[in-house]
Amino acid sequence: MSTPPAHSPARRAAVALAPVAAVAAAHIAPAATWLPVVRRRLPRLAGVGHPAHVALTFDDGPDPGSTPCFLDALEELGVRATFFVLGDAAVRHPSVVRETVRRGHELAVHGWSHDRPWLPAPADEARALLRAADAVRELTGRRPRWYRPPYGILTSGRWAAARTAGLRPVLWTAWGRDWTAGATSASVRSAVAAGLRGGGTVLLHDSDRMSAPDCWRAALGALPGIVNGCREAGLSVGTLSGHGILPR
Ligand SMILES: [Zn+2]
């Protein structure tokens, strides 16, 4: 691509946008670049808990087409998990939220919608997160404890919003890469196994809202192998609240 002439409208627009782009890039540095650092330096934020326990977590629901399948599979396995829900989906599908709680699982907050925080907007972040936390509390009768920011991007604004909403941010130590097109039960299981140790927190998705269509089926199919693999290694599997993450 050629560079526009120095005084062309396109060049002036590019120059004007450069500081905005720099702020945005600094603000939303990709989670993949800093998650390994978080795991080393801030293990509680990464979700490191009791070494004999693994926390099982799901993001991006509730979804009436897929979440009930996870509830059935977890019941069959005798496992309770933590579901990080989106507020806008929770209010659209209240019966799925209530059924999740009725089956003994824990509800947590993933945000109101699944936005990327392109630019700092602390007041909007705080309003949206509070709205999502209130929606979960009203639907379940329980105040949520945990917050996982979309894309794992924990900006200073999101951190402050979580504090205002009384939520504790927690990320993950192992993921299944179950959102990618072409993910299979075997690929999800092996991605989780590659990153998982006792005390770890596993991230999967019970909805394809932000993923390739139908790829939740890969996560669902991987569940028995993940849970049984943990148990064979002497690890119990359960919710974040049962994970023994130390207080700050
Ligand atoms: Zn998400």
Side-chain angles (χ1 to χ4, degrees), residues 59-60 86 110 114 148-151 205 210:
D59 285 8
D60 292 1
L86 292 161
H110 196 31
H114 209 286
R148 176 176 290 148
Y151 307 103
H205 296 79
M210 304 305 299

Side-chain angles (χ1 to χ4, degrees), residues 21-45:
V23 170
H27 189 63
I28 58 160
T33 62
W34 55 272
L35 276 169
V37 179
V38 169
R39 278 177 215 131
R40 264 199 320 277
R41 301 277 177 84
L42 299 168
R44 283 170 287 184
L45 173 60

Side-chain angles (χ1 to χ4, degrees), residues 31 60 77 81 85 91-92 97 138 209:
D60 292 1
L77 290 163
V85 298
V91 297
R92 271 203 310 275
V97 172
E138 279 164 26
R209 170 167 166 168

